[in-house]
Every structure is written in C-alpha cells, then in structure tokens.
C-alpha cells in the first residue's frame, strides 16, 4: 500500500501542550488541559450515550435462530457472537469473489458442523475485531469465514463500517454485498444472516488476518440521548473524505467560555453552560495582510467580500445558520483567498491542506488572552471577548500529510512549528527567534514531527521538548539534546511526569523514558531507558503506530495505538505491564484523512481513565496493573447527510474535562456530556 494512504495522520489526536506559567501566575491551558492529559479535580459521568432507535433495536446470536429467539442486544452496533471456520485452502489463482466452499452464498452453518477439514466453532468477540490469526492460526494461502445472525426490530438500511485487511467478501441473506469500507446493508425485519469471507494480508514485517465490523444508522435517524447536556452543530465541516481537518481541533475552556478553531480560518467562542455560539472571528490572509499590501486593488476587492463574510459570521450568535448561508460563507472565503493571491502570490498562497485541515489545532490561553495558529501560517492573539490584539502570517511549504502541531506558550513566547520552529513574542506578535529544523524542499524531509511540543522547566531554565526527541532552550531555540533513536516523522507528543520525559517512536514502536537532570546544561545529558511497545499478537491496519500521546498515573504510562491496543508501561522499571485490545469500535480505511484509526489520547479524569475511539465509542477504565473496564459509551450521529461521503461522525479531538462535564468534539458537533 502506498505510504500516502496509511493510517498516518491522526495528528491532532497526538498533540500535547506542556505546562507553563504566564507572568500573571495563571497556568496556561491548551492541548490536553495543562499538557498532562490529567484532570484530577474533575468529576465526570461514567455513563452517557446517543444511540439511534434502529441500532438500539438490533440483536445478535451465532446459532441459527428459531422463531422464539431474541438474541443479545447490540446497542453499540457490535456483533459479539460468531461462528468461525478456517483455514480453508484457497485454490491457486482463485479470487476472493469466487466460491471457495460449495454454494458459498447460501451457507447457514451450525456450531461444530464440518466443512471439509475444518469445523465451525462458536466464539465470543470482546471487541469488533475478528483476529483470525489468533482464532484460527498462522496466515497462509487460506480463507477464513465468520457467520452471525442479526435481528432487526424495524428492518431498513444500515451502514456497516468494515476495516478489511487483505480482502473481504460480504454476504447478506444469500446475496453478495458490494462496497469497500462503508457498506450499505439492507436488513429485513426479523432475522438476517451475515457472512464474511476473509483473506490474510502482509503488512510490513507482520502478516495480519483480521476484520472489524460495526453497524451504524443510516440517515435519517432518530436518536435517544442519555446524559448529554447539549449538542452544538459547528460550521466548517467539509464533505470530502480525505484531508479536510473535519473537527480535528480540541476545544479549550477558559472561565465560562469554550474556544475552538473551525475550517478554514475561524476562531469560535461558545457559552459553556448551553453551547450557544457567542462570536466567530475570521483569520484569513485578508485579516493578516500587512499594511503595505492594503493599497492593492485586489485587497480592496477582498475587503468588500470580507464585509459580507463578517455579516454571516455575526449571524451565528442568533442560532443555527441555514445551509445556503453556510455555502455562501464557503464561497466568500474562497473568493477572498483568490483576491489575496492577487495582492502577493507568494505571501498569500495557501499551502496544500493538511490532513487535519487548516484549523485542526488547539488554541492556547494564559487566562487573559487566546492564542491561535493555523496551517496557513497565520497566528493571532485575542482577548477573551474576541478583540484581536495582533495577527501575522509565516507562510512556509507544507509536507506530506501536513503540519499538525498545536501552539504552546513558553517563556513569554508563542511557539509554532511549520518547517521552521518559530517563537513569537506573546505580547507584541513580533518574532523572538526562528530556527530552521528541516529542509524546505521535498514532501518527506527527515526528522520532522507531528505532535505538539512540550514546555519544560529544567533547573529554572525554560526549555522545549519536540516530538522528534529534540530538546531546545526556550530563550534562543538552541538544541541541547537530540534522540536519534526516535527516527523520522515522529507523531505522538512527549509527556512529562515527575521529572520523567516519556516519548514514543512511530517507526520502531519504542517507548523512551528520559530522566531529566536537576540542573540545565548545554549540552544536556539525560538518563534514558527504552523498551519495545510493539503489538505483534494483535490485529492492525497497515502499521500499529502510536498516534496518541500517553497519560501517566502513579508510575504507569497508558499508551494506545491506532488499532486500539492499550499498552501499559511501568516507567520506573521500563517494562510492559500488560496489553489489551480495547472495545473502541475501531474503524480504519485508506482514505479517511485524520480519521484513519484511533488517535485520541487517553485521559485521566477524577479517578478513572477515559479512552475514546474514532467512531463515537468510549471506555471508562480503572487505572492499575490489571485491566478493569467500568463502562462503555457510544455517541452515534450521521454527518455529511446527502453527500456521497455520508457517514457516522468521526472523532479525532481529545476530550476536555471541566467539573462534572466532558466536552467532546466530533467532526461536525460539539457535545457537552454530563449535567
């Protein structure tokens, strides 16, 4: 598979902002709160849900159903009971769409029934993954079958999210169902027979033989909400499936307001209590234009369009905006950009859109101001009421999958990363220093990273830890430590816990544990331990990379890879405590932009761990040396309705905990969970 289509870009779910302090003594708040992913004073709910009535009416069982059978409920859309058969030899030259077993489409097996040398056996699936490598054995030139029966109270059309590795043939009620990853299933009222036929695939050094299946509602759908305080539809949702930054940026909470970014250039402020949009501020190249460009005729033309855009943006505070107005907003933004190219084609040329879009980042605040950075190179500072203090543009070329690091505040500076690391004086918006980190040529320069940097304090000296293992002095950007073991294109962000700096490498699936010294030095010497956090016995799509950043609690680091495998590491002993495949309704395909796989970082809120998947599922887990699940929750919601890419809403952004509430951003919706 071409690397451009790998599960590479959950970049926003991997960013992290380090803890720092403003001159006023207020702790900064940004990505994952103070940067640790820990909210010890929060008291969030354990249970919530938004489930469609049609999915709530689904049941399953492996055995052939009798008229009196009702099966087990599957309100999360996951079939837990299957009959599995294999390995069944695949004849030389045969295709998966050819019948391998006689009259294959009409199969209706029973437990312990023979099919050649193989026997149908009943299995209980703890997640949506069917890992045939574990259930059957080593992959070979063979196929595996999985059959179950689904009861629908209503019948009708459903969407099946199918993560397929190596190829799958789907048969429903004796008919072959065509489709790729999101498959339309027309269930009859009553019992249905679903059959999967799967072939293995080699991905990298590991052969994988697995599929994952979850059912969702098809639009239009009616939902039943539980413990959801409010839901707010957000502007800036793109209909396409690749790239686009759809809901990637996490919100921040400052006092009684919520701030977040929206495609393509907007900062949005909402009321925390009811989700009402208070104001929307544009940060386009027009807004960031330098004074000498404002005399250009093209700028004057853009100014007229910007006035019309401001009227639409102001209308959001009055309530939901009609779709026609949203379309007009998008067209105005596009036309303004074209006019700005006429002002200066180099300064105002949009970089290629990142997988997380232009706005797939998290704002950062010192309690007095909101600071933002966009993938266009625009950065800005606002007060809490939405008055802009400064704005600037630093337009550098993008790279493969694009930039995705959120800004941080450290040493009185706003620090952002494109191909250069740029430190901006937080008060004035002027450049403090600018350090070229990677070449400005080529889509795949070595040594770059996607996670957000982390602010450090080493012996009273402000420093910055980058996602690729480098540590810099914050006063001038000088590198004082590098970690060559990190490899290139590091994705997850570093985490600091009691003087221990924890980093994960994507390429080698390594966890690095650095002990920071008590005093700062140039160069900096760290005590380093490393260990493998690979997951060879678990299924994955393409590569089992770590996109999400860890959370650390009582000496244990909790890491989740993009296939939903939890690895718990004892950071003092540098040993893996356990690994567990999480029941997060994982979905992964080649063309889902930043939504390909699980990239939401785990969080500790109150006394429990919270894990979020990429399709609305979440788990509440008790921390410790053994896995103990407390609850599973589901947010089901169809978005992009009417578009060819209509789908279950994807979740990329990390949750934010505040008191008794959890704020969760999907690609088109901000949910307030709790009282």
């Amino acid at each position: 598979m071409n690397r451009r289509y790998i599960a590479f870009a959950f970049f926003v779910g991997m960013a992290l902002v380090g803890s720092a302090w403003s001159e006023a003594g207020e702790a900064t708040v940004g990505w994952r709160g103070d940067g640790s992913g820990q909210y010890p004073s929060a008291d969030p709910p354990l249970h919530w849900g938004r489930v469609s009535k049609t999915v709530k009416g689904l049941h399953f069982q492996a055995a052939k159903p009798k008229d009196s059978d009702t099966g087990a409920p599957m309100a999360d859309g996951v079939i837990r009971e299957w009959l599995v058969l294999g390995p069944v030899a695949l004849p030389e030259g045969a295709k998966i769409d050819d019948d391998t077993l006689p009259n294959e489409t009409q199969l209706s097996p029973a437990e312990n029934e023979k099919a050649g040398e193989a026997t149908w056996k009943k299995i209980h699936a703890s997640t949506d993954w069917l890992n045939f490598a574990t259930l059957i054995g080593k992959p070979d030139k063979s196929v595996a079958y999985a059959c179950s029966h689904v009861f629908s109270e209503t019948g009708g059309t459903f969407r099946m999210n199918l993560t397929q590795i190596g190829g799958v043939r789907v048969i429903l009620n004796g008919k072959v169902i065509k489709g790729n990853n999101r498959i339309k299933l027309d269930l009859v009222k009553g019992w249905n027979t679903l059959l999967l036929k799967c072939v293995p695939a080699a991905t990298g050094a590991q052969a994988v033989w697995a599929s994952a299946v979850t059912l969702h509602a098809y639009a239009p759908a009616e939902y039943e909400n539980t413990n959801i305080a409010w839901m707010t539809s957000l502007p800036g949702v793109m209909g396409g499936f690749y790239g686009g930054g759809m809901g990637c940026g996490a919100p921040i909470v400052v006092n009684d307001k919520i701030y977040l970014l929206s495609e393509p250039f907007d900062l949005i402020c909402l009321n925390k209590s009811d989700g009402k949009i208070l104001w929307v501020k544009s940060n386009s190249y027009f807004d960031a234009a330098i004074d000498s460009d404002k005399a250009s005729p093209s700028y004057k033309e853009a100014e007229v369009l910007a006035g019309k855009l401001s009227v639409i943006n102001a209308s959001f505070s009055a309530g939901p905006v009609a779709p026609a107005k949203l379309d007009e907003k998008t067209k105005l933004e596009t036309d303004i950009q074209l006019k700005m190219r006429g002002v200066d084609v180099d300064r105002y040329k949009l970089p290629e859109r990142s997988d997380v879009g232009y706005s797939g980042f998290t704002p950062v605040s010192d309690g007095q101001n909101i600071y933002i950075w966009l993938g266009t190179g625009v950065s800005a500072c606002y007060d809490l009421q939405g008055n802009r203090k400064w704005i600037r543009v630093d337009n550098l070329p993008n790279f493969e999958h694009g930039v995705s690091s959120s800004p941080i505040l450290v040493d009185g500076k706003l620090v952002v990363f494109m191909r250069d690391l740029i430190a901006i004086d937080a008060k004035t918006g002027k450049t403090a220093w600018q350090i070229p980190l990677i070449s400005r040529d080529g889509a795949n320069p070595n040594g770059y990273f996607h996670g957000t940097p982390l602010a450090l304090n080493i012996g009273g000296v402000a420093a910055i830890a980058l996602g690729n293992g480098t540590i810099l002095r914050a006063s001038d950007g000088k590198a004082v430590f590098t970690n060559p073991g990190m490899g290139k294109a590091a994705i997850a962000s570093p985490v600091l816990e009691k003087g221990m700096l924890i980093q994960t490498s994507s390429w080698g699936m390594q966890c690095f544990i650095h002990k920071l010294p008590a005093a700062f030095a140039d160069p900096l010497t760290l005590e380093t331990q490393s260990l493998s956090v690979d997951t060879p016995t678990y299924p994955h799509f393409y590569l089992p990379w770590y996109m999400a950043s860890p959370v650390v609690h009582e000496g244990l680091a909790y890491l989740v890879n993009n296939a939903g495998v939890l690895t718990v590491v004892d950071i003092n002993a540098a040993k893996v405590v356990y690994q567990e495949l999480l029941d997060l309704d994982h979905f992964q395909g080649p063309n889902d932009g930043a939504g390909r796989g699980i990239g939401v970082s785990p969080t500790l809120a109150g006394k429990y761990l919270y894990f979020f998947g990429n399709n609305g599922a979440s788990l509440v887990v008790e921390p410790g040396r053994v896995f103990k699940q407390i609850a599973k929750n589901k947010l089901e919601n169809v978005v992009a309705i009417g578009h060819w890419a209509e789908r279950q809403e994807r979740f990329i952004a990390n949750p934010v905990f505040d008191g008794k509430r959890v704020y969760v951003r999907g690609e088109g919706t901000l949910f307030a969970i709790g009282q």
Side-chain angles (χ1 to χ4, degrees):
M1 182 180 294
N2 189 301
R3 219 171 61 213
R4 184 170 290 275
Y5 296 99
I6 63 175
F8 191 98
F10 320 88
F11 304 134
V12 98
M14 328 110 218
L16 176 68
V17 173
S19 179
W21 295 88
S22 71
E23 292 181 3
E26 298 285 344
T28 64
V29 57
W31 191 260
R32 301 182 80 200
D34 68 355
S36 66
Q38 299 183 38
Y39 300 81
S41 62
D43 184 23
L46 302 179
H47 305 277
W48 63 83
R50 175 175 169 82
V51 180
S52 64
K53 292 182 178 180
T54 51
V55 169
K56 202 167 184 179
L58 294 178
H59 299 73
F60 66 82
Q61 69 180 45
K64 291 181 182 180
K66 305 180 185 69
D67 291 341
S68 59
D69 287 342
T70 58
M74 52 181 290
D76 60 354
V78 178
I79 301 170
R80 303 285 176 176
E81 206 172 76
W82 297 84
L83 294 178
V84 174
L85 178 78
V88 177
L90 188 67
E92 191 69 32
K95 298 179 180 179
I96 191 171
D97 288 332
D98 300 330
D99 281 5
T100 305
L101 293 177
N103 203 19
E104 184 171 284
T105 59
Q106 304 303 312
L107 284 174
S108 182
E111 187 178 2
N112 298 323
E113 182 179 297
K114 296 283 288 184
E117 298 295 320
T119 302
W120 289 94
K121 62 178 181 180
K122 179 179 173 182
I123 63 102
H124 179 83
S126 59
T127 75
D128 60 335
W129 275 109
L130 289 169
N131 187 6
F132 299 110
T134 300
L135 297 170
I136 292 174
K138 184 179 179 181
D140 204 346
K141 295 180 179 179
S142 307
V143 297
Y145 293 86
C147 181
S148 192
H149 300 88
V150 177
F151 180 89
S152 172
E153 293 179 357
T154 60
T157 303
F158 293 78
R159 178 176 289 105
M160 180 169 75
N161 277 2
L162 174 64
T163 301
Q164 53 176 317
I165 305 166
V168 180
R169 189 186 196 194
V170 179
I171 301 169
L172 177 68
N173 296 331
K175 295 181 180 180
V176 176
I177 305 299
K178 298 296 183 181
N180 188 10
N181 299 103
R182 295 185 179 91
I183 298 176
K184 181 179 178 182
L185 289 184
D186 291 315
L187 299 184
V188 301
K189 186 176 181 179
W191 283 104
N192 299 260
T193 301
L194 179 64
L195 179 72
L196 306 179
K197 174 187 177 183
C198 308
V199 296
T203 59
Q206 297 172 313
V208 180
W209 196 5
S211 290
V213 174
T214 310
L215 299 185
H216 294 284
Y218 220 84
E222 294 183 57
Y223 301 95
E224 294 183 1
N225 293 346
T226 303
N227 220 10
I228 295 179
W230 50 258
M231 296 168 50
T232 297
S233 295
L234 299 171
V237 180
M238 297 181 60
F241 61 87
Y242 184 77
M246 303 161 212
C248 290
I252 60 172
V253 177
V254 183
N255 302 327
D256 60 348
K257 304 294 191 298
I258 297 173
Y259 301 86
L260 54 80
L261 295 176
S262 176
E263 282 295 291
F265 320 121
D266 290 338
L267 171 64
I268 300 179
C269 176
L270 303 95
N271 195 23
K272 185 174 71 172
S273 64
D274 57 10
K276 175 181 170 59
I277 293 178
L278 300 177
W279 46 259
V280 177
K281 301 294 181 180
S282 175
N283 298 274
S284 69
Y285 286 151
F286 169 82
D287 301 293
I290 60 176
D291 289 342
S292 59
D293 287 338
K294 294 180 181 180
S296 165
S298 291
Y299 177 87
K300 298 298 184 183
E301 293 172 357
E303 192 171 29
V304 174
L305 300 174
K308 296 178 180 179
L309 178 61
S310 294
V311 173
I312 296 176
N313 284 343
S315 69
F316 282 101
S317 61
V321 174
K325 280 295 181 183
L326 292 175
D327 292 341
E328 182 183 354
K329 173 178 163 65
T330 300
K331 186 177 187 307
L332 284 169
E333 289 164 340
T334 301
D335 291 345
I336 290 170
Q337 170 55 31
L338 291 174
K339 297 298 182 184
M340 292 306 297
R341 285 198 64 178
V343 175
D344 189 315
V345 69
D346 294 322
R347 181 158 40 242
Y348 303 128
K349 179 183 178 181
L350 281 176
E352 182 179 350
R353 193 184 296 267
S354 299
D355 281 9
V356 300
Y358 296 122
S359 66
F361 312 92
T362 302
V364 60
S365 176
D366 57 8
Q368 298 179 359
N369 301 297
I370 305 296
Y371 300 87
I372 68 167
W373 181 79
L374 297 163
T376 60
V378 171
S379 52
C381 171
Y382 288 83
D383 65 22
L384 301 184
Q385 290 72 44
N387 301 302
R388 191 166 61 218
K389 292 187 171 182
W390 56 258
I391 188 170
R392 58 180 280 163
V393 58
D394 300 275
N395 200 336
L396 295 175
N398 217 332
F399 40 72
E400 185 180 21
H401 300 291
V403 293
S404 53
S405 303
S406 295
I408 66 170
L409 284 171
V410 56
D411 193 37
K413 304 173 182 70
L414 180 73
V415 178
V416 301
F417 169 67
M418 295 184 78
R419 293 191 182 227
D420 295 357
L421 194 70
I422 306 172
I424 301 165
D425 186 285
K427 287 184 177 180
T428 66
K430 305 297 184 182
T431 301
W433 48 258
Q434 184 166 345
I435 306 296
L437 289 185
I438 58 176
S439 167
R440 299 203 179 178
D441 299 319
N444 266 303
N446 287 334
Y448 69 100
F449 56 91
H450 294 283
T452 297
L454 173 69
L456 302 175
N457 185 311
I458 304 174
V461 176
I464 304 166
L466 304 182
N468 63 1
T470 302
I471 297 178
L472 305 99
R473 187 167 51 206
S475 61
D476 57 6
K478 186 177 188 298
V480 296
F481 174 79
T482 59
N483 180 9
M486 287 291 292
K488 65 178 183 178
I491 298 176
S493 299
V495 177
L496 182 66
E497 178 70 13
K498 295 181 179 178
M500 308 287 276
L501 185 66
I502 296 95
Q503 298 174 314
T504 53
S505 166
S506 297
W507 287 97
M509 271 67 81
Q510 292 285 310
C511 178
F512 295 91
I513 304 166
H514 307 286
K515 184 178 180 181
L516 295 180
F520 187 87
D522 179 10
L524 200 63
T525 301
L526 307 183
E527 297 178 21
T528 300
Q529 299 184 80
S530 65
L531 70 156
S532 172
V533 286
D534 199 1
T535 57
T537 62
Y538 292 96
H540 59 266
F541 183 92
Y542 191 71
L543 289 169
W545 283 10
Y546 288 86
M547 312 297 175
S549 299
V551 66
V552 184
H553 177 61
E554 294 184 349
L556 298 180
Y558 299 84
L559 298 79
V560 179
N561 76 353
N562 62 355
V565 180
L566 168 65
T567 298
V568 180
V569 173
D570 184 322
I571 63 173
N572 295 303
K575 291 182 178 180
V576 173
V577 177
Y578 72 81
Q579 291 184 320
E580 179 81 16
L581 183 60
L582 299 177
D583 187 21
L584 284 175
D585 305 352
H586 164 281
F587 175 66
Q588 202 164 330
N591 291 319
D592 274 290
R596 288 169 294 185
I598 295 171
V600 182
S601 301
T603 313
L604 181 77
K607 62 180 181 179
Y608 292 111
L609 295 162
Y610 288 75
F611 299 90
F612 283 75
N614 64 337
N615 272 278
S618 57
L619 300 181
V620 183
V621 173
E622 187 175 294
R625 292 182 171 270
V626 295
F627 181 76
K628 184 178 180 181
Q629 181 174 311
I630 303 300
K632 178 180 181 179
N633 303 297
K634 191 67 175 268
L635 294 175
E636 191 186 3
N637 197 37
V638 181
V639 296
I641 296 174
H643 190 275
W644 65 268
E646 180 179 299
R647 57 192 175 268
Q648 154 66 14
E649 186 162 13
R650 299 182 298 203
F651 292 81
I652 316 297
N654 283 345
V656 173
F657 295 81
D658 182 66
K660 293 182 178 295
R661 280 193 181 172
V662 189
Y663 298 99
V664 180
R665 183 180 184 173
E667 61 186 298
T669 315
L670 181 64
F671 296 86
I673 296 168
Q675 296 178 1

